[in-house]
Structure formats: C-alpha cells, structure tokens
Amino acid sequence: MTTVSGTTAYAPNVPTAPTPEPETGAEFNSFLQLLTAQLRNQDPLAPLDSTQFVEQLATFSSLEQDVKSNASLETIAARMDELYAIAASQWIGQTVSVESTWEPFSGNPLPFAVNIPENADKAVLSVKDETGKTVWTKELEAGTESFTWNGENQTTDEVSPAGNYQFGVDIYISDEYAGTIAPRTTTS
C-alpha cells in the first residue's frame, strides 16, 4: 500500500492576472497549423480540393487585415476626440459665431446674423422644419445684419414646436436667383 501525503496551496480570493487576448497573427498561425495538419492527414486516394484551402487562406488574411484596420481606425478616432476636446476648451468663456443651415429651436428666440451681399436686390430667409416643410419666410432688409426668429409659423397661429430647423437665405440680384447662404448663429 502506498500513501501519499502533502498539502496543496489554495488561495481562493487571490486575483489572477488577466489572460492576454491572442493577437491576430497568432490566430493566423493557428490557421496555418490546422491547414498543414489537414493536408498531412488527408486520404491520398481522395485528396481535398486545394483551391478551397487557398480561398480560406485568402479570406482569413483579408479578415486579419480588416481587424487591424478597425483597430487603427478606433485609435485614430480616439485621438481625434481628444484633439476636438483640446481645441474646444480654448473657446470656453468666448463668444463663438458659427455658420450653419440647421439650428436647434427650444422655444426661445433664436438670434442669427447674415452678411447680405451689397449687390443683392433682395434676400429672403426661409425656415423649414425637419420634414422640409417651410414654416416661415421673410424678406430681410438690406443693410441689416442681425435678425431673430422666435418660432413664428406662417402655416398656423401657434409657435413652432421645439426641434431642429433649416435656415437658408436666398439671394436675388436683378430679380434672378443668385444662390443661398447660411446664417451665422452666435453662442457664448
């Protein structure tokens, strides 16, 4: 009769190191090992189609490149977010004027500015809702630069509901349409 005695160290609450995720190259090497093992062990009287292996290899290689590209793009996107945050932090406490055709309306008057060209005979502001329906139009006075839209709606007597609205100023020279310009909104 043989007796074995001894103790085993056991620590149930000791954290273990995280297992590293396999690299894409390691998966590729595993695939090659499987492929060669399959080729070595195939029946010589009924060999497998080699073009299938080449297609699988090409597909796997393409997938590997896609995974690497996605990882690179995620890194680039993260860096871009950091750069935007750094750039935006320089404007804290400053007044910023932004040219935009879409503006959020929350029920409060929305101030905006337009540089109407000096040779323009007429400038017409149009405000459209998110569905593209025009809710308000107004001919803007030449020489004036600052305007306000308070939610007026020409289709109903009610104020326009909160939401995103598209602003555009159509410019006419000698009664001919010359183009549309975007207004500038000011944010502090």
Side-chain angles (χ1 to χ4, degrees), residues 11-187:
N13 294 327
V14 175
T16 59
T19 56
E21 292 184 21
E23 294 181 22
T24 308
E27 292 173 358
F28 187 70
N29 288 336
S30 297
F31 176 76
L32 286 177
Q33 288 173 352
L34 278 171
L35 180 65
T36 50
Q38 196 171 12
L39 286 172
R40 259 190 245 131
N41 298 319
Q42 71 178 337
D43 182 5
L45 299 175
L48 297 173
D49 185 14
S50 62
T51 57
Q52 286 179 339
F53 289 121
V54 173
E55 288 174 4
Q56 289 175 358
L57 184 62
T59 301
F60 194 82
S61 178
S62 174
L63 177 64
E64 179 185 28
Q65 291 304 316
D66 289 347
V67 168
K68 287 181 180 179
S69 294
N70 285 345
S72 296
L73 288 174
E74 286 175 4
T75 302
I76 291 170
R79 299 284 189 249
M80 294 290 289
D81 286 345
E82 291 170 6
L83 288 174
Y84 288 142
I86 291 169
S89 68
Q90 296 174 0
W91 294 102
I92 293 176
Q94 303 291 321
T95 300
V96 180
S97 178
V98 178
E99 189 174 286
S100 175
T101 57
W102 286 93
E103 297 299 330
F105 176 69
S106 61
N108 298 324
L110 185 64
F112 61 94
V114 178
N115 289 337
I116 301 171
E118 291 180 15
N119 61 342
D121 296 319
K122 184 166 78 169
V124 179
L125 171 72
S126 62
V127 180
K128 298 178 181 179
D129 64 13
E130 292 175 337
T131 65
K133 180 181 174 186
T134 301
V135 295
W136 190 61
T137 59
K138 179 179 181 179
E139 188 170 336
L140 303 178
E141 296 178 28
T144 308
E145 190 173 299
S146 298
F147 304 93
T148 302
W149 180 64
N150 60 6
E152 295 171 290
N153 192 324
Q154 292 173 332
T155 58
T156 67
D157 292 334
E158 299 175 12
V159 174
S160 297
N164 290 320
Y165 289 85
Q166 185 177 22
F167 287 69
V169 180
D170 295 330
I171 304 297
Y172 295 88
I173 299 172
S174 301
D175 290 330
E176 288 189 33
Y177 175 74
T180 301
I181 58 175
R184 291 183 328 274
T185 56
T186 304
T187 307

